[in-house]
Amino acid sequence: AQMKHEALATTYQQFFSPKVTEAIRKTPHLLNGEIVDISVLFCDIRGFSLLTDNTSARDAMKWINATLSELSSIVLASDGVLVDYVGDELF
């Protein structure tokens, strides 16, 4: 049971802030879903393909990883939820 709990906590930490992860741990029914008003951020790097055409694959990956890491930390700092990464897009 402890290993299952730790595995779930690790999974939650990838998508949720520590505050939200703790709320889910204390109140698991939060994952059942409910109807609420939310704000959604769709972020796509304008001109990414054009900018990376003249960049090495290694440099492009460093740049996109740094950019998405920074954006992800901002989302998590505001107790947001990371849903998906698609190329240079954060949802």
Side-chain angles (χ1 to χ4, degrees):
Q2 179 66 24
M3 289 178 66
K4 182 179 180 183
H5 172 74
E6 289 175 13
L8 284 174
T10 300
T11 299
Y12 296 154
Q13 290 169 356
Q14 292 176 16
F15 300 98
F16 305 120
S17 70
K19 181 178 174 182
V20 173
T21 299
E22 183 62 17
I24 292 170
R25 189 187 68 74
K26 288 181 178 178
T27 316
H29 78 274
L30 292 173
L31 293 175
N32 293 341
E34 58 186 79
I35 297 173
V36 296
D37 291 328
I38 64 168
S39 297
V40 178
L41 167 69
F42 291 93
C43 180
D44 184 66
I45 299 172
R46 183 180 301 150
F48 178 75
S49 297
L50 183 62
L51 291 170
T52 57
D53 279 347
N54 297 317
T55 306
S56 72
R58 178 171 286 155
D59 288 343
M61 288 304 297
K62 280 183 180 178
W63 181 58
I64 192 67
N65 284 334
T67 301
L68 291 180
S69 292
E70 181 68 22
L71 291 171
S72 297
S73 68
I74 293 167
V75 169
L76 292 175
S78 62
D79 296 320
V81 176
L82 296 171
V83 175
D84 203 359
Y85 298 93
V86 180
D88 63 318
E89 178 184 326
L90 170 68
F91 170 55

